[in-house]
Amino acid sequence: MGWSEDLLAAGLITEEEYEELSELGWEARHYGNVEALEDLIEIAYEYGLDELGDRLLETYFEAIDYYESLYDYKIEYDARIDRWRDVETGRFVKDPYEWIRD
C-alpha cells in the first residue's frame, strides 16, 4: 500500500503499525475481510487522508450495491459472526467482495 509507506516515511507510524496496515490491506483485498476494510477506512480518516477514506468507503458501498443488484435483495454485515445476511430473511449470503478479489 503506497499510503502506508508514505505514513511510515513521514514518521507518522511505526514499523509495527506499517506491518499491521499491510496485513489489513492483504486481508481486505485477497479475502474480502470486511472488518479489515472498515479498519482501513477508519485509519485513513484518522490520519487526515480523507480522499483515500472516501475511495475506500466508495469501494465498500459499490461492492454491496453490485451484489444487491445481482441477487435483487438487501444485505448487511453481521460483525458478531463475521458473515453477511439478507436483511429481510436473515439468511446468510455470500459476501459482496468476491468481485474485487484476485
Side-chain angles (χ1 to χ4, degrees), residues 64-79:
I64 293 170
D65 291 345
Y66 173 79
Y67 191 72
E68 288 178 344
S69 71
L70 262 179
Y71 297 101
D72 198 32
Y73 51 76
K74 296 277 186 201
I75 61 173
E76 65 183 358
Y77 182 69
D78 187 341

Side-chain angles (χ1 to χ4, degrees), residues 59-95:
T59 298
Y60 179 85
F61 288 117
E62 282 176 353
I64 293 170
D65 291 345
Y66 173 79
Y67 191 72
E68 288 178 344
S69 71
L70 262 179
Y71 297 101
D72 198 32
Y73 51 76
K74 296 277 186 201
I75 61 173
E76 65 183 358
Y77 182 69
D78 187 341
R80 293 174 297 135
I81 54 175
D82 194 29
R83 297 278 309 269
W84 288 89
R85 293 181 178 271
D86 178 319
V87 171
E88 289 184 24
T89 66
R91 292 184 1 206
F92 295 120
V93 297
K94 293 191 312 190
D95 71 80

Side-chain angles (χ1 to χ4, degrees), residues 6-26:
D6 292 343
L7 290 173
L8 179 63
L12 297 173
I13 61 173
T14 65
E15 187 73 36
E16 184 178 314
E17 291 168 321
Y18 170 77
E19 294 298 326
E20 290 173 11
L21 283 175
S22 295
E23 182 66 27
L24 287 173
W26 176 265

